[in-house]
Amino acid sequence: NRLVRDGKTEELTDELRQTILEENSRLTQDALRVLGFAYKPTEDSADKIEQQLIWIGLQAMIDPPRAEAREAIEECKTAGIRVIMVTGDNPMTAEAIAKQVGLESQGVVGGDELDQMEPEELKEKLESGINIFARTSPFHKLNILEVLEKEHNVAMTGDGVNDALAIKKASVGISMGKRGTEVTKQASDMVLLDDNFSTIKDAIKEGRTIFDNIRKFINYLLTCNFAEVAVIFVATLFF
């Protein structure tokens, strides 16, 4: 109910509260993660310390996407790979970051909406082109994964403990080698040593090249061997 302004404590009016909310929205739209700070003077830790707090202010920070992320996402799109953002961030922050890296989406779905959705509704959202899910919990990530895996092979990436569940269940679980927690690394199938999304794209490209070469070689062997067997078979019949 109170805030500190210019070193003085005063009442937190509805007008000031609205100003704070507007500033929070402005910062999140610039792809910033925003934290709010407040305090309460007390000598008793059991004195309902989370009530009657005094507002101090907002702090905004940014974890900028890598420069190569936009190009990597564009190449994934060209290669038929769908990229979906599932984050615990504010929906406006998630949408702003998606715009920076060129991730297209037909809107944003929040955790509150996911709580109310049945699997069929979630499937419809995904099919409609929704590629951004914000304010999600570990179970939200798992629900999204389970719906996608009914028709697709899914690679899940993450670095925190809250990602471990979905990474374990994914077709391919990928953890971060630098920032990733030990729990996530143990749950994953692969560890990304440089924490760079572009490396995943390069690995898929290399894997597809290897698979294509193996298929060509098998076709070559089958063709040659069939011809050899056919010649011997015909020769045996006549001679």
Side-chain angles (χ1 to χ4, degrees):
N1 297 327
R2 293 177 292 170
L3 82 161
V4 175
R5 185 162 61 169
D6 298 329
K8 298 178 180 179
T9 302
E10 58 183 79
E11 289 297 314
L12 180 58
T13 63
D14 290 339
E15 183 179 351
L16 288 172
R17 190 174 284 108
Q18 183 61 34
T19 300
I20 294 170
L21 293 174
E22 290 174 356
E23 182 64 13
N24 177 68
S25 297
R26 186 187 69 80
L27 293 170
T28 54
Q29 288 171 3
D30 289 335
L32 297 171
R33 294 178 176 176
V34 185
L35 297 177
F37 289 87
Y39 76 100
K40 178 181 180 180
T42 182
E43 296 180 359
D44 185 1
S45 60
D47 183 27
K48 297 182 180 180
I49 56 176
E50 295 184 0
Q51 297 180 14
Q52 302 299 317
L53 298 172
I54 301 174
W55 177 259
I56 300 175
L58 298 170
Q59 178 187 354
M61 64 192 83
I62 189 169
D63 182 10
R66 292 176 181 264
E68 61 270 25
R70 186 180 188 91
E71 181 183 353
I73 289 177
E74 187 61 34
E75 288 191 30
C76 284
K77 182 180 178 181
T78 303
I81 302 167
R82 182 178 180 181
V83 179
I84 298 175
M85 178 192 293
V86 186
T87 177
D89 284 342
N90 181 292
M92 288 186 288
T93 302
E95 193 169 22
I97 293 174
K99 288 180 179 179
Q100 288 183 2
V101 299
L103 176 60
E104 298 177 358
S105 178
Q106 300 300 316
V108 182
V109 173
D112 291 341
E113 294 178 72
L114 287 171
D115 286 333
Q116 309 300 322
M117 284 186 190
E118 295 295 330
E120 285 302 318
E121 294 179 272
L122 178 54
K123 181 181 178 182
E124 290 176 5
K125 288 288 185 182
L126 288 164
E127 291 177 347
S128 70
I130 297 292
N131 289 325
I132 304 174
F133 296 87
R135 287 284 189 240
T136 57
S137 70
F139 294 104
H140 291 146
K141 296 179 181 181
L142 187 61
N143 291 340
I144 295 169
L145 176 67
E146 288 175 345
V147 170
L148 288 170
E149 283 198 316
K150 290 179 179 179
E151 297 180 5
H152 306 281
N153 291 319
V154 183
M156 175 72 75
T157 66
D159 56 8
V161 175
N162 60 333
D163 299 315
L165 185 60
I167 285 176
K168 181 69 175 177
K169 295 289 186 179
S171 305
V172 180
I174 305 172
S175 62
M176 304 295 115
K178 293 181 179 179
R179 296 184 301 175
T181 60
E182 285 302 317
V183 173
T184 309
K185 291 178 184 178
Q186 291 296 324
S188 65
D189 301 299
M190 299 171 57
V191 178
L192 198 62
L193 296 179
D194 59 1
D195 290 9
N196 193 337
F197 177 79
S198 182
T199 303
I200 300 175
K201 176 263 299 181
D202 293 337
I204 294 173
K205 184 177 181 180
E206 187 71 20
R208 285 184 174 183
T209 301
I210 293 171
F211 178 77
D212 192 46
N213 288 338
I214 291 173
R215 185 166 56 184
K216 288 178 180 178
F217 181 66
I218 291 174
N219 288 338
Y220 169 75
L221 286 178
L222 289 175
T223 303
C224 292
N225 290 341
F226 179 78
E228 291 173 1
V229 171
V231 169
I232 294 173
F233 178 73
V234 172
T236 302
L237 285 178
F238 286 95
F239 300 104

